[in-house]
Amino acid sequence: MGSLIDGVERALLGVLLCDHVRVPEAAHLDPADFGTAAHGRIFQALRDVAGTLPAAIGINAVMHLVAAATGDPAIPADRLLALALTAPEPRFTAVYARMVHEAATLAALAAHAERDPAYGPGPDGGSTPSDAAAVHRRALGYALAAHVAALHRPPPDPYAMTAADPAALTAAGRREQEILAELLQDRDRIHDVRSWLAAEAFAPGPHRDVYAAMAAVADRGEPVTDLVLAWELARRHTFRPHRTAPAPAAAAAAPPAAAHPAVRICARVEPGTAARLGRQLVEENARAPLAAAVAAINARPRMRAWYPSDPRGPAAKPARRTARGDVP
Amino acid sequence: MSESLPLLVSHDFMALAHDAGLAEQPGPSFGAACRYQDFWWLAYADGWLRVTDPFMSTELDARAARLRNASAPGGT
C-alpha cells in the first residue's frame, strides 16, 4: 500500500488529467511541491499543456499530449491513463491541492530543521539540553519529523479501525459500530447527525476517533471521501495521540481486523440507523449523570419536617393578657 | 511581546483561541500550523509549539499567502 501523500498526489493528478479545465484550481502549487519527482513532472506538463487544450478533447489525446510534454520516457500515456481511471471525483480538486500544499509546507520546514543541527538530537546523541530554547528547538524538530513521517505512512483505514468483532464488544460498542457502518457507507449521513451527536458520546477509542474525524471534515465543508478522512485521521493521530485512549480489551482480543473491513462495508445497514442509534447513545449518556445526580440527592440527610405546634406543648403557650393587664 | 508569550500552549488553549477568532489557520484543511499573536505555531502531540525560527516563519508566511490567493474570489 502506498503512503498517504502518494495517494493524495495521485488523486490530484488523476482528477486534473480527467478534467484539465480544473488545472487553475491547483495553480498555487509548484511542481517542486510534489513529493515524487515524476508527479512534479506530470503536474508541470499539465500546466504547460492545459491552457492550450480545448475543453472538449478526448481523454486519450490528453494523456498522449501530457506524456509527451513531460519529456520523460518513464511516464507513458498508459501510466497517466491509470492515474485518471483511479481518480476520485474531480469537483474536489481544490481540496486535494490544499493537501499537497500542506504536505509540501511541512516537508520544507522539516528539511530546514534537518539541515540545522540545533533541531537535532545534538552531538551527545539525545540527552536533554539544559536551556529552554534548545529544548524548544528540539521539540520543533521532532514535531516536524512526526508530521512528515505520518504523511509517508500508509493512510489510516477507518474501516479497519471500526472492524472489531461485534461479539467482542459491549452493547454500547456495537451501537457505535452500527452508527459508523452507516456513516461510512453513506457519507452524506454525517450531516443528519452532526449537529446533535457529539464525538464525546462515543467511548474513547477508535470509534470516537473515526466519528470525530468525519465530523471535523464535515464541519469544514469538505467532502468525507476516503482520502480526506484518512488525512484527517492521520493528522489527529500525529497531533493528539494522548487523546486517543488505548484500544479496549475487547477490540484488542478481536480476530485479525483484515477480514472485518469487508464485513463492515458489505453489511446491510438500514437507512436512518445512525440517527436512531445516535439518539439512543445521547439518551444513555444523559441518563447516567442524571441518575448519579438523583442518587446524590437521595443520599442527603432529609430535612426535618416543621410542625406549627410548639413541641413543648400547650403549657408553653404564653398567657394572653387582658386589656386590664391581669391574666384571666 | 514575544517575551511574554510561552513557547508552547495546550491544544485546549489554542482551540479556545481559535473559537474566539484570535488564532487563524492558513487554510481549512491546513491544520498543522496556525497564526496566533503574530507568531506561527506548529501542532505537536502535546499542544502547539511557537515557531521562533525566522526562516520557518518566512516560509509559512509565503505559503499561507499562496493559499490565501488561491482561495480568494478571482484567485485560483
Side-chain angles (χ1 to χ4, degrees):
Chain A
M1 185 185 285
S3 68
L4 177 58
I5 187 57
D6 183 62
V8 170
E9 289 182 0
R10 292 170 65 86
L12 176 62
L13 293 172
V15 294
L16 295 179
L17 286 163
C18 283
D19 197 356
H20 65 274
V21 296
R22 291 185 180 271
V23 169
E25 292 180 30
H28 60 289
L29 290 180
D30 192 83
D33 288 340
F34 288 79
T36 306
H39 290 169
R41 279 197 290 280
I42 297 170
F43 181 71
Q44 176 71 59
L46 262 164
R47 271 206 323 204
D48 295 344
V49 168
T52 65
L53 298 177
I57 183 173
I59 192 166
N60 277 325
V62 174
M63 301 306 140
H64 282 99
L65 286 167
V66 173
T70 61
D72 185 347
I75 305 175
D78 288 352
R79 184 177 166 185
L80 301 183
L81 190 61
L83 278 177
L85 291 176
T86 54
E89 287 187 63
R91 64 192 165 111
F92 305 133
T93 304
V95 176
Y96 300 125
R98 273 206 300 273
M99 290 179 182
V100 173
H101 182 91
E102 179 172 353
T105 304
L106 292 170
L109 299 183
H112 170 73
E114 264 180 30
R115 283 193 300 269
D116 189 339
Y119 290 95
D124 56 356
S127 67
T128 305
S130 51
D131 65 302
V135 171
H136 177 69
R137 272 197 304 275
R138 187 176 293 182
L140 262 176
Y142 285 146
L144 284 164
H147 282 299
V148 173
L151 295 174
H152 286 88
R153 278 196 289 269
D157 182 355
Y159 291 107
M161 290 174 71
T162 57
D165 184 357
L169 293 175
T170 62
R174 281 196 294 277
R175 202 174 293 135
E176 292 175 359
Q177 202 179 43
E178 285 290 303
I179 293 169
L180 291 169
E182 186 185 22
L183 296 181
L184 286 169
Q185 287 182 24
D186 185 353
R187 304 297 170 89
D188 286 338
R189 291 277 175 190
I190 184 73
H191 301 291
D192 297 346
V193 297
R194 173 66 197 113
S195 60
W196 50 268
L197 183 57
E200 288 71 27
F202 291 74
H207 290 170
R208 181 188 284 192
D209 290 348
V210 170
Y211 181 79
M214 292 184 92
V217 172
D219 286 350
R220 289 201 302 264
E222 292 188 343
V224 194
T225 62
D226 282 347
L227 212 45
V228 178
L229 185 56
W231 186 269
E232 183 64 28
L233 280 167
R235 190 160 69 184
R236 283 167 175 267
H237 284 198
T238 311
F239 293 0
R240 300 174 186 145
H242 64 295
R243 284 190 175 180
T244 304
H260 292 298
V263 175
R264 302 298 334 146
I265 294 167
C266 299
R268 185 168 176 273
V269 181
E270 288 292 326
T273 298
R276 182 170 55 81
L277 296 181
R279 264 185 223 106
Q280 288 180 17
L281 212 58
V282 171
E283 281 171 15
E284 269 179 19
N285 286 344
R287 204 175 291 143
L290 278 178
V294 169
I297 290 169
N298 285 339
R300 281 185 201 156
R302 287 184 182 278
M303 189 184 289
R304 294 183 68 182
W306 178 82
Y307 298 101
S309 59
D310 194 314
R312 290 173 295 173
K317 199 185 240 182
R320 193 153 49 101
R321 287 184 179 276
T322 63
R324 287 185 300 178
D326 56 357
V327 177
Chain B
M1 183 188 63
S2 64
E3 288 77 17
S4 62
L5 271 178
L7 288 171
L8 66 94
V9 297
S10 68
H11 283 296
D12 291 338
F13 179 92
M14 197 58 89
L16 283 173
H18 190 266
D19 290 345
L22 300 171
E24 193 183 0
Q25 288 176 333
S29 67
F30 197 130
C34 77
R35 186 91 179 154
Y36 170 68
Q37 294 277 329
D38 294 328
F39 277 92
W40 284 104
W41 299 73
L42 187 81
Y44 85 119
D46 293 329
W48 291 78
L49 292 160
R50 180 150 62 92
V51 176
T52 50
D53 185 311
F55 173 88
M56 290 190 187
S57 298
T58 309
E59 184 76 16
L60 282 163
D61 280 337
R63 288 179 176 268
R66 268 166 61 187
L67 208 53
R68 264 197 310 275
N69 292 339
S71 310
T76 50

